[in-house]
Amino acid sequence: MTTTTTITQTQPQNANTVPIDRFVYGSLHVTIWENTDRDDRAYFSIRVERRYKDNKGAWQSSNRFGKNAIPVLSDLLGKAYARLSELEADRRSS
């Protein structure tokens, strides 16, 4: 049985406790976060993870990926890169 999963993008958020943006394909997630350094300067970072349920039904996260995840991650990372470029351009123009 073959299942089809679509890539979805959530709406950006503006609080440091929630992601700025997230790109998801199946169990693969690329999340953009806004952080501040010691001098209170803002910068962006990303988190790449594979989400799954363990044998007790609890959600877990892994940063290990199989070969077939590489093309999907490449696409998601490309989308994250484009979004980061937009965010940085918006910041420069403000």
Side-chain angles (χ1 to χ4, degrees):
M1 180 175 151
T2 303
T3 58
T4 304
T5 307
T6 57
I7 296 174
T8 59
Q9 177 182 355
T10 61
Q11 294 300 313
Q13 303 293 321
N14 292 326
N16 287 349
T17 58
V18 295
I20 296 290
D21 219 334
R22 177 176 290 157
F23 301 89
V24 178
Y25 185 91
S27 64
L28 304 174
H29 297 242
V30 175
T31 309
I32 300 174
W33 295 90
E34 184 174 17
N35 302 289
T36 53
D37 65 15
R38 286 184 235 170
D39 297 325
D40 208 31
R41 291 179 297 213
Y43 67 94
F44 298 108
S45 64
I46 64 165
R47 180 176 180 166
V48 180
E49 62 185 337
R50 180 176 53 86
R51 302 283 293 154
Y52 65 95
K53 283 189 178 181
D54 64 17
N55 56 4
K56 295 180 182 177
W59 283 103
Q60 301 293 326
S61 179
S62 174
N63 61 358
R64 296 176 186 222
F65 308 96
K67 176 186 75 150
N68 293 336
I70 294 170
V72 176
L73 288 170
S74 176
D75 184 53
L76 295 176
L77 288 166
K79 292 178 185 317
Y81 180 83
R83 180 69 176 121
L84 285 167
S85 296
E86 290 173 7
L87 291 167
E88 289 171 348
D90 289 348
R91 183 169 287 166
R92 283 190 301 270
S93 66
S94 305

